[in-house]
Amino acid sequence: MVIFGAAGDLTKRKLIPALYNLKRSQLLSDNFAVIGVARAEMNDDEFRSRMRDDMNEFATDKIDEHEWEWLAERLYYLSGDFNEDETYERIKTRVEELDKEHEARGNYFFYLAAAPDYFAPIVQQLGRAGLTQQDEGHWRRTVIEKPFGRDLQSAQELNREIKQVLNEDQIYRIDHYLGKETVQNILVFRFGNGIFEPIWNRRYIDSVQITAAEKVGVEQRGGYYESAGALRDMVPNHLLQLVTLTAMEPPISFGADAVRDEQTKILHAIQCPSPEEAAKRTVRGQYDRGEIEGEKAPAYRDEPNVARDSTVETFVALKLLIDNWRWADVPFYLRTGKRLAARDTEIAIQFKRAPFVLFRKTSVEQLTTNRLVLHIQPDEGISLRFGAKIPGSVMNIGAVDMDFDYEDYFGDTPSTGYERLLHDCMVGDATLFQRADQVEAGWAVVDPIQKAWREANAPSFPNYQAGSWGPNEADELLQRDDREWEQTSDIHTEHRLHRC
């Protein structure tokens, strides 16, 4: 494994801890080795020492020194500029040396944990150095982080540039959300349970809500966020991936292309509104000063590397419609934002209300609607809400929640969210990675929104307080359809605390 950007945050926070967890699970070969590449001047021992210090802060469990030593002995470092030919010649020499030393059989994968501007140049340089050529009996793969492009045109151009060097089966466009157990379980939950698949359609489902809320602000990523914003940062990848897994038709198998074919069909089926209609179906916001859990939080414009008059959105809510037989007229509501009231990623399936006719001569005034919630983070699990009679001589109905928690049933497995994805890349399973047509179809959904926002005046920012659930307009987006956002994270957490 060759990591470009080995001195950066992603390597120390996620990649090295994930490799350590894979080793503890006995999922790394004895022939495995890592070369970190970055501009910073370090030797192998200094790199190992630095990674060990970082593990104290970012490891997901107590460190087993024996297991760490095994991994540390396989960590190497090379300093170089990503734009210089000489760097890649040195990488090639070092890779070939370690290939022989560790008997890696010519199998390499390159992880681009670098700035997006380097994606195409690194791939082209690897190609010129002969490091991407696959001969019979060994493989070469490249993992590319998000964001993959800034819009449809740039994503198409990036695909063209890297495909001049790599075949599609060598490209692994990664989205760490897909490494989470609950996300992977969506397919098992839907297609492995006979009681849910028959009702997973417009006849029984009223609406779908997908929330990806964060309590933290942009922190030290102000420079990046000023050029991205919440829409580009979250919607084309994370949120639309959750939409496709929720809405896709059953694939013919769980093979990588069979699953991705069905995901891509959903993206193509999402209604492409005019800029005028796109403006009505979206809300954008930017956080102001506020308070989260008793601590004061600054406004976005007061964050480091952010313009004092910035009009970049830190919150976005939107309504999507899918034009196919299964989901016709079922709205999908998406929202994501920084400095919100809670850290919470979930998919809420709201079922249609049962007919009231049976209860019209009772004291029941309103029937409880059934709701299924897939909790993705921070507490992975599933909640189901249904109605039940409240004990007593009068007919009253109350809402009951059944709560399943992964940790309670299967134990706590240390995870950064990258373990499954790294392992899948090593074994050549691309199911959880985006294909070129998926990436472009995702940007095609976002492009009309970007155009509508460019043509309209930016809202009066800031328009929501840190610690709230976003601007009032987000609530109004659903109120126009006689619906409201579900707040279910607190219910799930309360159930867990009660059991504990």
Side-chain angles (χ1 to χ4, degrees):
M1 178 181 184
V2 180
I3 304 174
F4 288 90
D9 265 8
L10 181 61
T11 300
K12 69 182 181 183
R13 288 175 178 267
K14 301 294 183 181
L15 300 184
I16 297 300
L19 292 173
Y20 168 78
N21 289 338
L22 286 173
K23 166 55 185 166
R24 292 195 66 182
S25 300
Q26 304 303 310
L27 291 174
L28 287 184
S29 164
D30 286 338
N31 309 106
F32 181 74
V34 179
I35 300 176
V37 183
R39 282 200 182 95
E41 293 289 342
M42 279 186 284
N43 59 33
D44 293 345
D45 289 336
E46 289 171 331
F47 181 57
R48 292 165 182 165
S49 177
R50 181 170 171 175
M51 291 299 103
R52 179 62 181 83
D53 291 341
D54 291 332
M55 283 289 290
N56 288 332
E57 183 176 358
F58 300 114
T60 53
D61 200 5
K62 183 179 179 181
I63 299 171
D64 182 312
E65 293 301 333
H66 176 73
E67 302 285 18
W68 171 253
E69 284 302 320
W70 183 95
L71 180 60
E73 289 172 359
R74 290 162 171 77
L75 297 179
Y76 302 88
Y77 185 81
L78 189 150
S79 175
D81 189 314
F82 298 161
N83 291 318
E84 294 180 357
D85 295 348
E86 189 263 343
T87 298
Y88 297 86
E89 291 302 323
R90 290 169 54 223
I91 291 173
K92 183 177 183 180
T93 300
R94 193 70 171 125
V95 163
E96 290 173 349
E97 291 173 354
L98 293 175
D99 190 348
K100 293 177 182 178
E101 180 179 338
H102 292 277
E103 299 180 358
R105 302 175 187 173
N107 298 322
Y108 314 152
F109 73 105
F110 306 95
Y111 198 110
L112 275 53
D117 290 346
Y118 286 113
F119 291 166
I122 289 174
V123 170
Q124 291 164 351
Q125 289 276 23
L126 289 171
R128 282 194 285 270
L131 286 165
T132 60
Q133 295 176 359
Q134 297 188 126
D135 297 326
E136 188 174 349
H138 70 251
W139 48 260
R140 307 288 165 87
R141 298 172 186 142
T142 302
V143 181
I144 301 178
E145 271 284 347
K146 76 171 186 75
F148 197 92
R150 289 178 48 80
D151 50 26
L152 178 58
Q153 183 178 349
S154 61
Q156 290 171 330
E157 179 60 29
L158 182 53
N159 273 326
R160 281 194 294 268
E161 290 176 336
I162 64 176
K163 286 177 125 179
Q164 291 172 358
V165 179
L166 301 169
N167 298 322
E168 180 61 38
D169 64 4
Q170 294 179 275
I171 306 168
Y172 287 67
R173 301 170 188 84
I174 195 168
D175 182 346
H176 70 270
Y177 262 47
L178 298 190
K180 299 183 182 298
E181 287 292 345
T182 314
V183 174
Q184 297 169 42
N185 195 46
I186 294 172
L187 298 184
V188 176
F189 182 80
R190 285 189 56 194
F191 304 127
N193 293 289
I195 64 172
F196 289 111
E197 178 53 29
I199 61 172
W200 209 265
N201 55 61
R202 60 186 169 85
R203 184 175 178 185
Y204 299 100
I205 293 177
D206 172 79
S207 60
V208 177
Q209 296 179 20
I210 299 178
T211 295
E214 297 180 88
K215 288 193 294 186
V216 298
V218 297
E219 298 177 320
Q220 302 304 312
R221 300 174 69 227
Y224 161 74
Y225 219 78
E226 279 289 271
S227 64
L231 181 68
R232 287 194 184 108
D233 187 47
M234 293 291 290
V235 176
N237 36 70
H238 299 332
L239 293 187
L240 289 185
Q241 285 291 296
L242 298 182
V243 170
T244 60
L245 292 171
T246 304
M248 64 186 277
E249 294 295 323
I252 59 172
S253 74
F254 278 125
D257 280 331
V259 172
R260 296 188 295 182
D261 285 345
E262 298 303 331
Q263 288 182 277
T264 305
K265 287 177 186 177
I266 290 296
L267 293 172
H268 286 307
I270 292 176
Q271 195 176 96
C272 186
S274 65
E276 294 78 14
E277 189 64 28
K280 295 178 183 177
R281 296 183 189 174
T282 62
V283 173
R284 48 180 160 162
Q286 184 189 98
Y287 63 82
D288 198 358
R289 297 179 185 89
E291 192 173 283
I292 301 177
E293 295 182 348
E295 295 186 7
K296 291 184 178 180
Y300 173 71
R301 292 176 177 179
D302 294 331
E303 300 277 19
N305 302 314
V306 171
R308 299 285 79 88
D309 58 349
S310 175
T311 57
V312 171
E313 80 284 353
T314 60
F315 176 96
V316 60
L318 57 149
K319 173 184 175 181
L320 299 179
L321 296 172
I322 298 175
D323 286 337
N324 67 10
W325 188 261
R326 182 184 291 264
W327 297 110
D329 299 323
V330 176
F332 281 65
Y333 300 104
L334 281 59
R335 63 174 171 173
T336 183
K338 300 282 191 183
R339 294 285 189 209
L340 297 180
R343 178 174 177 246
D344 179 32
T345 300
E346 65 182 34
I347 302 169
I349 311 296
Q350 188 73 51
F351 291 92
K352 291 184 177 179
R353 198 181 303 273
F356 186 73
V357 60
L358 181 65
F359 301 92
R360 60 190 171 187
K361 294 184 179 180
T362 71
S363 58
V364 174
E365 295 180 356
Q366 188 174 6
L367 291 178
T368 299
T369 56
N370 301 122
R371 183 185 64 207
L372 177 72
V373 183
L374 307 178
H375 303 277
I376 296 170
Q377 66 176 13
D379 299 313
E380 295 181 299
I382 300 171
S383 298
L384 176 63
R385 170 166 287 187
F386 56 90
K389 181 183 178 298
I390 298 173
S393 57
V394 178
M395 174 62 75
N396 284 318
I397 296 178
V400 178
D401 286 281
M402 293 179 62
D403 204 42
F404 155 71
D405 187 272
Y406 267 89
E407 185 177 337
D408 287 349
Y409 283 82
F410 299 121
D412 183 19
T413 302
S415 175
T416 67
Y418 278 78
E419 289 82 1
R420 169 70 186 270
L421 300 172
L422 290 175
H423 185 259
D424 280 0
C425 179
M426 295 179 204
V427 301
D429 184 351
T431 306
L432 297 177
F433 297 83
Q434 292 193 73
R435 209 167 52 190
D437 55 343
Q438 281 180 277
V439 171
E440 293 176 12
W443 279 115
V445 173
V446 171
D447 256 17
I449 301 172
Q450 292 179 297
K451 183 177 180 182
W453 287 2
R454 284 194 300 268
E455 293 177 354
N457 294 326
S460 179
F461 286 158
N463 61 352
Y464 73 94
Q465 279 192 327
S468 70
W469 279 104
N472 293 331
E473 289 82 359
D475 294 327
E476 294 168 4
L477 179 69
L478 270 69
Q479 288 168 3
R480 290 199 294 267
D481 296 338
D482 293 324
R483 297 182 178 95
E484 61 183 13
W485 292 106
E486 298 291 343
Q487 309 292 355
T488 60
S489 60
D490 292 340
I491 293 172
H492 187 62
T493 302
E494 285 172 8
H495 280 216
R496 291 200 63 224
L497 291 174
H498 179 69
R499 287 198 304 272
C500 292

